[in-house]
Amino acid sequence: MAEFESPDDLLKAVRNAREAGYHKMDAFTPLPIEGLAEALEFHRIELPPIVLVGGMIGGVLGYALQYYISVIAYPVNVGGRPLNSWPAFIPVTFEVTILFAAFSAVLGMLALNGLPQPYHPVFNVPEFALATRDRFFLCIEATDPQFDTVETRGFIESLHPRHISEVPH
Amino acid sequence: MNLLDTKLDRFQRQAFLAGTLALLISLVGALFNREHFFQSYLVAYLFWVGLALGSLAVLMLHHLVAGSWGFVIQRFLEAASRTLPLMILLFLPLLLGLHELYPWTHQEELQNPVLQHKTAYLNVPFFIARAFIYFFAWLTFAHFFNRWSWRQDQGEFLTKRMQLMAGPGLVAYVLTMTFASVDWVMSLEPHWYSTIFGLKFVVGQALAALAFSVLVVALLSKRQPLAGSVSAQHSHDLGNLLLAFVMLWAYIAFSQYLIIWSGNLPEEVPWYLRRTAGQWTLVAVVLILFHFASPFLLLLARLTKRRLGTLMKVAVLVLLMRLVDLFWLVMPAFYPQGPVLHWMDFTVWIGMGGIWVAIFLKGLKARPVLPLNDPRMELQTAHAG
C-alpha cells in the first residue's frame, strides 16, 4: 500500500498502475476526487435498476393500499365520487414511490458496497488512520493475478510515494 | 469560426425572410378571419415571449447559483432575453384584438353581476397599464443583466452585483408573470380562477428556455468556438434540470387538476370540461404522455442526459409540447366543442418565430459565445479538470 500527499499524485499513480496491468486495487481518500472512480475502472450500473424497481414496487403498493382502504375495507360514498378515485390517490402513490425508491437506494448501496464492514485488513497499517485526514492511499491487492511481493513493491517505489507499507492479512 | 458565422448569417437571413413572409400571409388571412387570427396570434405570442422570459429567468437562476451548466448556455439565455424589445413591439397588435379575445370587453357580458365586480381589475385601460408595468420590469432586468455581463467581458468585476440582483429579479419575474398570465390567458374565461395558474406559466417558460438552450448548445457544440467547452457533465446537468422542470410542470398541472376535481364547484369545473370535450381529450392525453411521461422516463436514464445529441431530441419534443400545452390552455376558450385547426395557427407561429430567431442570432453573434472574466467560471473549469 502506497501513501501519497496530494490527490494529483494518487490519480497519477492509479493511472500508472492500470497501465502496468494491475486491476485489483483500491484507493482511500479523505475527500472525493474527480476522475478517480473512472481511473479505477469503477463503473457500477447495478444501483439505478434497484432504485427503479424499488420505486415501482412502492408505487403499486401505495396505490393498492388506498384501493384496499376505499374500495374494499371502507367503501364510503364521499360527495358522490367513485370509490376508486384515482386523482385523489396520486399524491400518496407518489410519496410511497419516493419512499421505497429512497430505501432501495440506501439499502442497495450498503449491500453493494458490502457495508457495514467491521474489519478490513488495511486497518492493520497504523498510518492508515491518516486516510481520514490528509493522506491519499493506493492499495494493490495480493489477489491481482499480476501481484508479486517483490515486483509490485518495485513498481510502487517507481511511483515515488511518501511511504510504502505491506498490509498483513 | 468564419464558416460558422457565414452559416449563421445565412440561417438568420432565411429565418427573417420566412418569418416576414409567413406574417404577411397571416395578415391576408386576418382580413378573412379576424377572430382566428388573434387567437392564433395569442398562442404564438405566448410561446415566443415565453422563450424570452424563461431565458431571463434561467439566466437569473444561473447568476444566483453559478453552476457550471450555466456558463455554457449563458450567452444563449442573454441573447434570448434581448429579444424582449421585439416582443413588446409584437404585443401591440394584440391590443387591436382585445375585443375578439376577451369577453370582459363586451358590454353585454358585463350585465353579469360577477363580472361587474371584476371590472375594477378587468378593464381595458388598466389592462394596458399593467402590461406596461410588466414589460418595464422585464426590460429593466434584461437590460442590466446583459449590460453588466458585457461590461464584465471588458474586464470589470460585476459578478457579485449580478448575483445580488438575481434574487430580487426572480421574485419580480414570478410576480409579474403571475399577473401577466392572469391578464392574458386566465381572463379569456373571466368566470374561472386558479391561484396556481401563474406558476404553471413560470415553470413552462423556464422549461421552454432550458429546452431551447439545450437545442442551441447541441447544434453549436461540435463547431468552434464552442467545441471542447461542453462536456458530458454539462449535458448531464442540463438534462437533470430539464427533468426537474418536466416534473415540476406535471406537479403543478396535476395540483390544479386535483384541487378543482376535489372541490367540484360550478365556477371551476367547466374549465376542465371544456378542455376534455370532444377531441380536446386527445390533446390532454397527448400532453400527459409527451409533455410528462415520455420526457420523464427518457430523462431518468443516465445515457440520455450524457449524450448531447440524444438530449437535444428530448428538448425538441419538450419545445413542441410547450406549444401544444399553450394551445390547449388558450383555444378551448373559443372552441369548447373540440379543437379547430386553422392554417394561421402555423403561419403566425412561424412568422413570429422566424423574426424572433433572426433577432436571437443577431444578438448571439454580437458577443463571445462563452462569458469572459467570471472568476466562478474559472473555478468550475479547474474543478472539472
Side-chain angles (χ1 to χ4, degrees):
Chain A
M1 183 160 70
E3 178 185 331
F4 297 94
E5 278 188 350
S6 80
D8 290 340
D9 291 344
L10 174 68
L11 210 53
K12 219 182 294 164
V14 170
R15 288 187 181 134
N16 283 339
R18 225 179 76 191
E19 266 168 38
Y22 293 99
H23 290 285
K24 280 201 171 269
M25 55 187 169
D26 211 346
F28 306 89
T29 64
L31 48 107
I33 295 171
E34 285 216 51
L36 187 60
E38 285 78 16
L40 284 168
E41 301 175 306
F42 188 86
H43 0 245
R44 284 241 166 146
I45 52 156
E46 288 106 321
L47 194 55
I50 292 179
V51 179
L52 181 68
V53 171
M56 289 198 295
I57 292 175
V60 172
L61 280 182
Y63 196 94
L65 171 77
Q66 296 171 88
Y67 186 87
Y68 171 75
I69 293 173
S70 342
V71 181
I72 298 166
Y74 300 96
V76 179
N77 182 337
V78 182
R81 292 186 188 83
L83 292 176
N84 180 24
S85 295
W86 67 266
F89 293 173
I90 296 255
V92 173
T93 307
F94 175 72
E95 299 290 348
V96 180
T97 308
I98 303 293
L99 181 72
F100 271 62
F103 270 125
S104 343
V106 174
L107 296 177
M109 179 268 289
L110 289 178
L112 290 173
N113 281 347
L115 290 173
Q117 194 171 22
Y119 173 75
H120 194 284
V122 289
F123 290 117
N124 294 331
V125 178
E127 291 85 6
F128 188 70
L130 291 173
T132 58
R133 285 185 226 158
D134 57 353
R135 293 286 189 276
F136 302 82
F137 291 88
L138 170 65
C139 183
I140 299 182
E141 289 165 22
T143 47
D144 193 289
Q146 213 179 312
F147 189 86
D148 177 279
T149 318
V150 182
E151 232 175 75
T152 304
R153 193 179 185 91
F155 168 72
I156 290 185
E157 265 164 16
S158 74
L159 300 172
H160 308 296
R162 183 188 151 89
H163 186 82
I164 304 176
S165 40
E166 215 163 292
V167 183
H169 59 94
Chain B
M1 191 167 168
N2 278 330
L3 186 71
L4 181 67
D5 269 355
T6 17
K7 255 195 172 151
L8 285 185
D9 275 338
R10 207 172 60 207
F11 188 63
Q12 183 188 332
R13 267 198 310 276
Q14 284 166 347
F16 190 79
L17 221 72
T20 320
L21 206 69
L23 269 192
L24 284 177
I25 295 172
S26 312
L27 279 180
V28 176
L31 296 177
F32 297 100
N33 192 343
R34 194 177 150 88
E35 268 158 31
H36 205 107
F37 171 78
F38 282 116
Q39 294 155 7
S40 311
Y41 195 93
L42 181 62
V43 173
Y45 184 79
L46 288 169
F47 181 88
W48 292 108
V49 85
L51 274 189
L53 289 174
S55 297
L56 178 62
V58 177
L59 178 68
M60 293 193 283
L61 186 69
H62 157 62
H63 280 307
L64 200 60
V65 299
S68 62
W69 54 270
F71 294 107
V72 292
I73 61 169
Q74 184 177 338
R75 283 297 141 93
F76 311 145
L77 299 171
E78 285 173 2
S81 73
R82 288 204 298 278
T83 61
L84 269 173
L86 169 76
M87 293 323 288
I88 295 177
L89 205 66
L90 288 173
F91 182 77
L92 299 178
L94 268 184
L95 297 178
L96 300 175
L98 288 185
H99 190 76
E100 278 77 4
L101 290 172
Y102 299 103
W104 47 265
T105 56
H106 302 175
Q107 276 310 315
E108 64 276 13
E109 291 274 345
L110 289 179
Q111 305 304 316
N112 184 305
V114 176
L115 286 196
Q116 259 169 22
H117 281 291
K118 293 190 180 182
T119 45
Y121 186 84
L122 290 179
N123 58 70
V124 174
F126 194 26
F127 179 92
I128 297 173
R130 282 195 305 269
F132 181 76
I133 295 171
Y134 310 145
F135 282 123
F136 178 75
W138 297 334
L139 261 191
T140 310
F141 281 106
H143 172 76
F144 280 112
F145 278 106
N146 275 292
R147 204 166 74 150
W148 291 339
S149 169
W150 181 76
R151 274 171 50 190
Q152 179 143 296
D153 274 6
Q154 315 298 313
E156 276 182 76
F157 176 70
L158 295 166
T159 295
K160 273 260 162 340
R161 189 189 288 180
M162 288 193 276
Q163 194 168 19
L164 203 68
M165 280 310 288
L170 274 172
V171 173
Y173 159 70
V174 172
L175 285 178
T176 46
M177 192 55 228
T178 300
F179 278 98
S181 70
V182 170
D183 288 7
W184 300 347
V185 187
M186 201 196 281
S187 78
L188 291 168
E189 288 146 289
H191 286 280
W192 181 76
Y193 50 86
S194 158
T195 44
I196 209 168
F197 198 66
L199 210 55
K200 202 179 171 201
F201 271 82
V202 166
V203 170
Q205 292 182 344
L207 176 62
L210 270 172
F212 180 72
S213 304
V214 167
L215 176 64
V216 180
V217 86
L219 289 175
L220 295 182
S221 66
K222 285 181 208 77
R223 306 198 167 97
Q224 282 305 338
L226 205 56
S229 310
V230 189
S231 66
Q233 187 59 44
H234 288 136
S235 170
H236 197 154
D237 290 348
L238 289 170
N240 278 335
L241 276 169
L242 265 187
L243 175 63
F245 275 97
V246 162
M247 286 198 289
L248 197 55
W249 174 84
Y251 174 82
I252 288 167
F254 179 73
S255 299
Q256 180 183 293
Y257 178 73
L258 180 63
I259 289 167
I260 290 179
W261 177 87
S262 309
N264 206 13
L265 297 173
E267 305 92 75
E268 298 178 342
V269 169
W271 194 82
Y272 276 110
L273 291 182
R274 278 192 286 275
R275 274 155 190 78
T276 50
Q279 297 297 312
W280 283 119
T281 313
L282 196 70
V283 182
V285 170
V286 163
L287 282 176
I288 295 172
L289 289 182
F290 297 104
H291 198 316
F292 171 62
S294 36
F296 171 72
L297 291 174
L298 286 169
L299 289 170
L300 274 183
R302 195 180 154 84
L303 273 182
T304 321
K305 289 180 282 196
R306 289 194 83 85
R307 288 192 201 132
L308 212 45
T310 330
L311 190 62
M312 181 182 88
K313 288 179 191 137
V314 182
V316 170
L317 175 71
V318 167
L319 273 178
L320 201 69
M321 282 302 122
R322 282 309 307 143
L323 183 61
V324 177
D325 187 31
L326 290 170
F327 190 77
W328 184 75
L329 286 175
V330 170
M331 286 301 194
F334 311 107
Y335 306 100
Q337 313 300 328
V340 178
L341 266 182
H342 194 279
W343 56 265
M344 279 193 289
D345 290 333
F346 301 98
T347 52
V348 178
W349 184 79
I350 293 169
M352 215 181 275
I355 294 172
W356 190 91
V357 167
I359 302 282
F360 168 79
L361 287 176
K362 191 169 178 294
L364 186 63
K365 285 185 307 183
R367 297 184 180 186
V369 77
L370 284 171
L372 311 173
N373 300 328
D374 194 319
R376 299 174 301 178
M377 185 178 168
E378 277 148 34
L379 199 72
Q380 296 287 358
T381 21
H383 201 61

